Amino acid sequence: MPFSHHSHSGQFCGHAKNTLEEMILAAKKKSFHTLAMTEHMPRDETCDLYPEEVELGYTVLQLYKIFDDYYAEATRLREEYNDQLRLLVGFECDWIRPSSEHLINSLLDRHRFDLFIGSVHHVHTVPIDYDQPLYNQARDLSGGTDEKLFQDYFDLQFEMLKALKPPIVGHFDLIRLKSDDPNGSFQQWQGVWQRIVRNLDFIAQYGGIIELNSAALRKGMSEPYPKAEICGVFLQRGGRFTLSDDSHGVDQIGYGFEEVLDYGEKLGIQTLAVLEKGTATLDARFPGVSAVHINPKQPRSR
């Protein structure tokens, strides 16, 4: 039975499709035992609005209302479908600048979540995964090469990791999506690779979980996030992985999971972590939420 710790709905995300309930029903139809609802957090500066949000006339205050509406609907649906599949309520953070730390912590104080995903979608405050022109703009600000932009991305990721220690780290190597060679090895650049290893060391040290994210496959890349060379280093450090589809619509739920599981098996990943509510606590910020480790190819009941 599959599961995912990363999902978005068109009800609360401008670049996604379908309602949150439709996402849950689709996961149930595909025999998911666990689905984490992880809509994007609001951003607190007008300059951080995405083009689609500008077109819709959104303001920062509206983003906060959308987020609060999401939390209310997610907790309602969690209760409604509690006897059918395990639903976790969380969010995906957007680390843009140092002040993001205060905003993220304020959201954790505002609502009682089960998890959050630590992600970086911006470098030099410019989105790096939205479209090619914005990626190119961020690259120019880094000095004009993918190598320099990758260094800045992993440095910003390290800032996020140190400040937040996220329970799950999202699409670790997202930066390669719009690069000149999305399937190229990071090891070709010593400075980039050293930063990657440093970040992996830190995640392993505090006990963070890295998601195997199938979105890279549906976006045309040859490997999921993160690449095999990264997974190998994290495995050597005793690092833990989980499974995510990063779905933005019902048609993407569970996308590429068979390929991702085969990929993990070839790398030597024998178990995957699944968050669940119980008596133990993985992270003091999320009382009663713990991680169990399962063989993902074996059936599992709720």
Side-chain angles (χ1 to χ4, degrees), residues 153-289:
Y153 169 86
F154 286 111
D155 281 342
L156 195 63
Q157 185 185 67
F158 191 49
E159 288 182 18
M160 181 272 294
L161 293 170
K162 289 188 296 181
L164 299 176
K165 294 185 174 67
I168 295 177
V169 179
H171 36 59
F172 181 90
D173 52 349
L174 176 68
I175 189 62
R176 62 187 169 100
L177 173 63
K178 301 292 183 182
S179 68
D180 290 340
D181 185 10
N183 296 316
S185 171
F186 288 107
Q187 296 186 60
Q188 65 183 300
W189 295 311
Q190 183 179 8
V192 173
W193 187 246
Q194 288 174 341
R195 287 165 169 81
I196 287 172
V197 173
R198 173 200 62 193
N199 292 9
L200 294 173
D201 283 339
F202 187 78
I203 297 167
Q205 178 185 348
Y206 79 78
I209 299 167
I210 289 180
E211 62 173 7
L212 296 177
N213 185 319
S214 67
L217 300 178
R218 63 176 164 81
K219 294 182 180 182
M221 285 176 272
S222 61
E223 297 172 280
Y225 302 121
K227 287 176 63 64
E229 60 190 7
I230 293 173
C231 294
V233 172
F234 197 52
L235 268 176
Q236 291 171 2
R237 284 146 176 79
R240 299 179 296 169
F241 296 89
T242 191
L243 182 64
S244 295
D245 53 29
D246 199 353
S247 53
H248 284 66
V250 297
D251 57 325
Q252 297 173 3
I253 290 179
Y255 180 92
F257 272 8
E258 184 174 349
E259 186 174 347
V260 173
L261 293 177
D262 288 343
Y263 169 84
E265 189 173 47
K266 289 175 183 177
L267 288 171
I269 299 173
Q270 298 178 347
T271 62
L272 293 175
V274 182
L275 297 185
E276 64 176 26
K277 290 196 168 185
T279 57
T281 295
L282 173 68
D283 185 318
R285 295 170 294 185
F286 311 107
V289 177

Side-chain angles (χ1 to χ4, degrees), residues 14 25 40 64 84 105 108 119 185 237 246 261 275 280 293:
L25 291 173
H40 289 285
Y64 273 92
Q84 300 177 51
N105 285 329
L108 291 171
S119 299
S185 171
R237 284 146 176 79
D246 199 353
L261 293 177
L275 297 185
H293 300 88

